[in-house]
């Protein structure tokens, strides 16, 4: 079954918006296949499964991206052990 956005809450409902894998990948600038792999090996943004559908909350995607912000190529970032 194709993704049906009407089956998930959106901002108009007073809830937070969710995206399918393809739209979530576009939001964070990755390929959908990369998010698929990250779900298996770890390191990706939090996701939720409802039946067989995988969805990502927009605030979780934004927070995941913000946590990866760097100021230079030598910036290891938080939690890197450096």
């Amino acid at each position: 079954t194709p993704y049906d956005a009407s089956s998930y809450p959106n901002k108009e409902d007073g809830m937070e918006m969710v995206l399918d894998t393809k739209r979530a990948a576009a939001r964070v600038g990755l390929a959908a296949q990369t998010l698929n792999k990250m779900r298996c090996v770890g390191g990706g943004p939090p996701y939720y499964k409802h039946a067989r559908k995988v969805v990502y909350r927009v605030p979780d995607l934004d927070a995941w991206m913000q946590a990866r912000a760097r100021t230079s190529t030598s910036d290891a970032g938080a939690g890197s052990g450096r």
Side-chain angles (χ1 to χ4, degrees):
T1 311
Y3 173 76
D4 178 11
S6 66
S7 65
Y8 294 100
N10 57 45
K11 288 185 179 185
E12 290 78 33
D13 298 328
M15 302 290 286
E16 295 179 18
M17 188 172 201
V18 295
L19 303 174
D20 65 354
T21 300
K22 182 177 177 182
R23 291 183 175 108
R27 183 172 183 96
V28 299
L30 297 172
Q33 297 89 331
T34 302
L35 284 184
N36 291 338
K37 185 173 183 175
M38 288 176 151
R39 283 199 308 271
C40 294
V41 300
Y47 67 93
Y48 303 85
K49 282 196 80 159
H50 177 61
R52 293 175 21 177
K53 294 181 181 179
V54 173
V55 295
Y56 296 84
R57 291 176 52 238
V58 170
D60 289 341
L61 294 170
D62 293 344
W64 183 76
M65 287 293 293
Q66 184 61 37
R68 280 144 190 77
R70 304 291 184 265
T71 57
S72 75
T73 58
S74 62
D75 183 359
S80 67
R82 287 181 78 181

